[in-house]
Amino acid sequence: MTPQRLALLREIFEERIAFNKVLGLKLLEAADGKARLEFPFAPALVGNFKMGILHGGVISAALDVAGGAAVQASFKDDAPFYGMGTVDMRVDFLRPGRGTRFIATGRVMRPGRILSSTR
């Protein structure tokens, strides 16, 4: 991915998508069908106030964005940025979301012209 395309992808995912801004998502890397994002802990993202852990919806949203960024990163450098939507998603919550900084990664498992699968 060219530096110009990565910069545009960052602008789209960090600045133009308002919900990503609310979460504080920052695109760290995106290339070859892979993407890595980070976001900081914030009290507004807590789902369990007694334990002080992230809301499951925040975790799901971050993973959804990572998958979308990975799909965009799988396109050729001269391809336009397409509008996308999630068709289906599954998240297994194996550990509570504790920490000061969180990383979400996405990888295209099966690219497609109409539908791509990510993990």
Side-chain angles (χ1 to χ4, degrees):
M1 176 173 285
T2 65
Q4 296 83 2
R5 186 166 177 89
L6 180 58
L8 183 54
L9 189 63
R10 267 199 185 105
E11 180 190 337
I12 290 169
F13 276 81
E14 294 178 10
E15 301 299 326
R16 293 188 192 177
I17 302 174
F19 188 65
N20 293 354
K21 251 181 132 164
V22 168
L23 296 178
L25 291 173
K26 299 293 178 194
L27 184 63
L28 299 176
E29 300 172 40
D32 303 320
K34 297 176 189 165
R36 211 173 105 192
L37 299 99
E38 75 172 343
F39 63 101
F41 174 83
L45 305 180
V46 168
N48 183 319
F49 68 92
K50 283 190 172 190
M51 296 178 70
I53 58 175
L54 288 179
H55 189 285
V58 171
I59 295 167
S60 297
L63 294 173
D64 189 30
V65 173
V71 170
Q72 291 288 356
S74 72
F75 298 147
K76 294 180 180 169
D77 283 334
D78 60 349
F81 286 100
Y82 296 101
M84 303 184 300
T86 301
V87 174
D88 187 36
M89 185 171 167
R90 175 191 163 132
V91 178
D92 294 321
F93 299 99
L94 302 176
R95 290 183 300 220
R98 283 194 183 95
T100 58
R101 179 175 157 258
F102 302 93
I103 303 289
T105 59
R107 180 171 41 113
V108 174
M109 303 299 291
R110 191 174 58 234
R113 191 174 55 81
I114 304 293
L115 185 68
S116 294
S117 295
T118 64
R119 174 167 281 179

